[in-house]
Amino acid sequence: MNNENYEGVILNAYPDSLSQNLSGMVSFLSRKDTAGLFSTVYLLPSLFHWDMDRGFSIIDYNLDEAVAKREDLDRIEQLGMKLMLDIVMNHMSINSEQFHELQVNGKESKYRDFFIDWNKFWAGCGTMTKEGYIQPDQKYLDPMFFRKPGLPLMMVEMWGDDDELVPYWNTFYHGVKYEALSVENIREICGNDVDAVKIHEEFSKAIREGEPFDALCPELPEKTREILIGLTESCGDSVGQMDLNIKSEMVWKFYADVLKQLAGYGASIIRLDAFAYTSKVPGKRNFLNEPETWDILTRIQKLADQDHLSLLPEIHEAYSKGMYRKLSEQGYTAYDFFLPGLIIYTLENKNATVLKNWAEELNRDHINTVNMLGCHDGIPLLDLKGMISDDEIQNLIDTIVGRGGFVKNLHGKTNMYYQVNATYYSALGCDDRKMIAARAIQMFMPGTPLIWYLDLFAGKNDYEAMKLAGKDGHKEINRTNLNQEDIDTAMEKAVVKDQMTLIRFRNEYQAFKKGRTDSIEAAGDVLTMQSTNHGYWAMLKLDLSTMSVTVFRKDPNDTEWMTVYSD
């Protein structure tokens, strides 16, 4: 809960986002023209061993040396920068050692209760189905929060128990990862008279888009089709994220070991990913259960204290629910998931009233936050409920979708706004002036700014990456990996250089250091934001009618304001 760890500006990226690997990213941060930009690097968990969800389905927390080596992490520390890493509290990959041992040894496995046995959890709360899982009574289902259609369970084959199928709790993803047979293998099966390349492409497309195989290649003999489909399915690898049993002491020992391992990598801040889903109780929402959520947070904090780690709980919830405030009351820094959509709302409506109210609430009630524009997920929208109206949220959705974004709803329920997938630059209509205005507002908002790497380079929606990712690959629209040529080209753009000027000023200038005070005024089309600390002053003036940005500074002995940035 040490808020001193949140000084400065945070860079957020995958370890391979810049120049193929973490070594390339560190080289970028070591450049003369990037000096002073950031105080902290937040690396997403694809630096560990993983199998899906771009790193958040973790097999183990050992470094994947193809993308991140220990010396790369040491170089970050040598640059004087702090490191933030994730612990995924709610789940692990089914390809983890723990889950594999469970499948091998079945009832005799030491990890039998490391994951959540669905039938044990719901015993006495429902009816056993012919498929072998308990269907909870409706009164237990009504309050539950679901992240996917159907019950959050996966039937697990226990290899040591005569192939017994046992249901385990699975909040997020599970499925089978297929790979199309090679062109050579197809020719061996079908002969040289068929178009093996075309067949390979048909299967590849079906795999990518999540389509069934049974309608493929109708021109082939039925027996040949059956062989192709059967071989493809037999080579599929199961993938999934299995929920951990928070009531198991073995899980808590695992948490302690992981925190120590992350601290050993040099991390000082740990983001608690999917933390809100860890508590599960029959009859409750099973998302941010109270008081269980706070009991879990207290216990994980005690473990973090042993390794001198600060925690950043990741909690998405509507503004009207006030969870950000409860986190603050517990002494934690909260994610400001409201700001990304709120800034777009402000710029599009040329009205800063709601933004002003939010900034004043943060100041008045001493609520510490980490804020952002873009991130590895989409632009949050559900979080704005209660801050702006549902109609205004819908208008915001329509605007971003109209600029090429994709709506992400909760399992098809369009009345439950979750996020829109788009780069922030594209969400702003690829308007350089709006991008600079958005960045300037973020730099002056109360809280610690987190910079998504692709926003810095004014990245546009990546439809090719979405296409390659296939079904449910919408998030890849905002995850483009940049090579050295991409970076060098982008660094020459005015919209990138201007952002860097604002970020460096925010990261280095004394007015923004610990103990600062902030003020904000919205008069007509003009937004004025100020930060002051021990006689140092910083001021932003933004004309919302023209998107004209000017930033000033004044040191203790100055009599006049100095211009830091002006468009």
Side-chain angles (χ1 to χ4, degrees):
M1 292 187 283
N2 181 5
N3 288 316
E4 291 181 1
N5 270 327
Y6 299 96
E7 285 271 278
V9 180
I10 304 171
L11 173 66
N12 180 202
Y14 293 99
D16 57 348
S17 292
L18 302 175
S19 298
Q20 299 180 323
N21 51 38
L22 185 55
S23 178
M25 181 187 298
V26 178
S27 294
F28 167 76
L29 294 170
S30 302
R31 293 167 51 143
K32 183 177 180 180
D33 53 0
T34 58
L37 275 181
F38 305 104
S39 293
T40 300
V41 177
Y42 166 31
L43 296 175
L44 293 163
S46 57
L47 79 164
F48 309 129
H49 294 134
W50 59 282
D51 58 8
M52 65 179 300
D53 198 19
R54 194 71 182 265
F56 285 92
S57 181
I58 293 177
I59 296 173
D60 63 54
Y61 286 83
N62 298 324
L63 296 179
D64 177 357
E65 296 214 342
V67 294
K69 293 182 171 60
R70 180 55 199 259
E71 51 262 37
D72 301 326
L73 298 175
D74 292 341
R75 287 173 64 198
I76 291 174
E77 184 177 4
Q78 290 161 12
L79 288 172
M81 304 175 74
K82 295 174 183 175
L83 178 64
M84 181 160 81
L85 298 174
D86 280 279
I87 179 172
V88 182
M89 288 192 65
N90 182 67
H91 49 262
M92 286 188 74
S93 166
I94 66 173
N95 291 307
S96 63
E97 175 187 347
Q98 293 89 338
F99 199 79
H100 180 74
E101 201 275 350
L102 169 64
Q103 286 191 288
V104 168
N105 295 313
K107 292 186 178 73
E108 303 305 317
S109 171
K110 65 179 179 180
Y111 291 110
R112 183 73 192 241
D113 294 321
F114 190 84
F115 304 93
I116 303 173
D117 184 315
W118 179 269
N119 287 346
K120 284 186 178 180
F121 181 91
W122 290 108
C125 298
T127 304
M128 181 64 71
T129 66
K130 63 180 181 180
E131 290 84 5
Y133 64 85
I134 291 176
Q135 173 71 40
D137 295 339
Q138 194 60 42
K139 66 179 180 180
Y140 296 108
L141 294 176
D142 286 342
M144 283 182 65
F145 178 81
F146 292 100
R147 280 299 303 263
K148 62 182 183 180
L151 295 176
L153 64 84
M154 176 178 173
M155 299 301 294
V156 177
E157 184 178 0
M158 300 297 181
W159 303 328
D161 289 332
D162 298 323
D163 296 333
E164 177 189 5
L165 290 175
V166 179
Y168 272 82
W169 199 302
N170 169 252
T171 293
F172 291 90
Y173 310 110
H174 78 268
V176 180
K177 186 177 182 180
Y178 297 105
E179 186 172 340
L181 298 175
S182 68
V183 172
E184 291 75 17
N185 285 339
I186 292 171
R187 287 198 180 109
E188 289 175 4
I189 295 166
C190 303
N192 292 325
D193 294 335
V194 302
D195 188 341
V197 173
K198 177 175 176 291
I199 293 172
H200 173 79
E201 290 175 350
E202 282 191 46
F203 272 86
S204 296
K205 180 176 182 292
I207 291 168
R208 190 168 59 246
E209 298 182 2
E211 297 174 348
F213 300 145
D214 53 12
L216 299 179
C217 308
E219 72 280 2
L220 294 177
E222 188 62 28
K223 188 64 176 177
T224 303
R225 289 180 65 255
E226 288 178 0
I227 293 172
L228 287 176
I229 292 171
L231 285 173
T232 302
E233 291 179 339
S234 68
C235 293
D237 293 324
S238 294
V239 290
Q241 298 161 294
M242 303 306 295
D243 290 40
L244 304 184
N245 181 8
I246 203 76
K247 296 179 181 179
S248 166
E249 289 303 314
M250 187 175 288
V251 167
W252 283 98
K253 172 65 165 57
F254 170 74
Y255 288 157
D257 291 343
V258 170
L259 290 174
K260 189 169 294 295
Q261 187 173 10
L262 300 181
Y265 293 145
S268 57
I269 307 171
I270 304 299
R271 177 180 175 273
L272 304 182
D273 180 74
F275 162 74
Y277 297 90
T278 52
S279 170
K280 298 176 179 68
V281 179
K284 289 201 171 185
R285 194 181 183 205
N286 296 319
F287 173 80
L288 291 173
N289 290 341
E290 297 186 89
E292 293 84 2
T293 290
W294 310 115
D295 295 338
I296 293 168
L297 189 53
T298 297
R299 189 170 180 182
I300 197 75
Q301 182 65 60
K302 289 179 180 178
L303 295 179
D305 288 343
Q306 296 175 15
D307 296 299
H308 310 289
L309 297 169
S310 295
L311 299 180
L312 180 62
E314 183 233 3
I315 294 179
H316 271 286
E317 183 61 288
Y319 172 81
S320 58
K321 300 291 185 181
M323 292 304 295
Y324 69 94
R325 183 174 293 279
K326 292 183 180 181
L327 264 180
S328 178
E329 291 168 354
Q330 297 279 338
Y332 288 90
T333 295
Y335 260 113
D336 184 353
F337 285 121
F338 315 115
L339 190 62
L342 185 54
I343 287 180
I344 298 175
Y345 172 84
T346 298
L347 299 182
E348 294 302 318
N349 290 283
K350 297 180 172 52
N351 187 326
T353 302
V354 182
L355 179 74
K356 177 179 185 293
N357 292 341
W358 174 230
E360 289 179 339
E361 179 182 353
L362 294 174
N363 285 327
R364 180 186 67 244
D365 299 335
H366 307 290
I367 298 170
N368 295 311
T369 64
V370 168
N371 61 46
M372 70 211 71
L373 300 181
C375 66
H376 70 280
D377 279 335
I379 298 171
L381 296 172
L382 178 147
D383 306 67
L384 288 171
K385 280 180 167 287
M387 184 175 279
I388 60 177
S389 71
D390 284 1
D391 286 343
E392 290 172 315
I393 292 174
Q394 187 59 55
N395 288 338
L396 202 55
I397 293 171
D398 294 341
T399 296
I400 301 173
V401 170
R403 292 169 177 168
F406 286 79
V407 176
K408 168 65 176 178
N409 297 307
L410 289 180
H411 47 82
K413 294 186 178 180
T414 56
N415 63 329
M416 296 181 69
Y417 310 119
Y418 185 56
Q419 60 192 25
V420 173
N421 295 108
T423 71
Y424 208 79
Y425 185 61
S426 290
L428 292 172
C430 298
D431 185 318
D432 288 3
R433 295 179 73 83
K434 286 183 179 179
M435 188 71 219
I436 296 303
R439 184 67 72 205
I441 292 172
Q442 185 196 15
M443 294 301 99
F444 275 81
M445 277 295 292
T448 301
L450 182 147
I451 310 295
W452 181 238
Y453 76 99
L454 201 56
D455 293 346
L456 175 63
F457 297 106
K460 296 181 181 180
N461 289 341
D462 191 338
Y463 301 113
E464 184 61 28
M466 278 184 60
K467 179 181 177 182
L468 291 173
K471 185 176 180 290
D472 298 326
H474 42 270
K475 291 182 180 180
E476 296 304 312
I477 199 171
N478 188 30
R479 298 175 175 180
T480 308
N481 283 358
L482 304 177
N483 58 35
Q484 192 59 53
E485 183 180 355
D486 296 328
I487 294 169
D488 290 341
T489 299
M491 292 284 279
E492 295 303 315
K493 295 179 180 179
V495 67
V496 176
K497 291 181 178 180
D498 289 355
Q499 285 188 78
M500 290 173 61
T501 296
L502 296 171
I503 293 168
R504 184 180 289 106
F505 179 58
R506 169 63 178 79
N507 196 51
E508 294 182 336
Y509 191 52
Q510 186 64 34
F512 298 105
K513 301 299 181 182
K514 185 180 179 182
R516 68 187 256 205
T517 57
D518 301 293
S519 64
I520 180 170
E521 296 296 333
D525 292 334
V526 178
L527 172 66
T528 304
M529 304 176 76
Q530 293 190 45
S531 293
T532 182
N533 187 17
H534 294 92
Y536 293 87
W537 289 81
M539 179 169 62
L540 162 67
K541 284 193 174 180
L542 168 60
D543 187 330
L544 291 168
S545 64
T546 62
M547 297 299 154
S548 177
V549 173
T550 311
V551 175
F552 306 92
R553 58 173 277 188
K554 188 165 69 172
D555 294 353
N557 296 324
D558 292 339
T559 56
E560 296 182 356
W561 291 94
M562 296 177 57
T563 301
V564 174
Y565 172 84
S566 177
D567 56 6

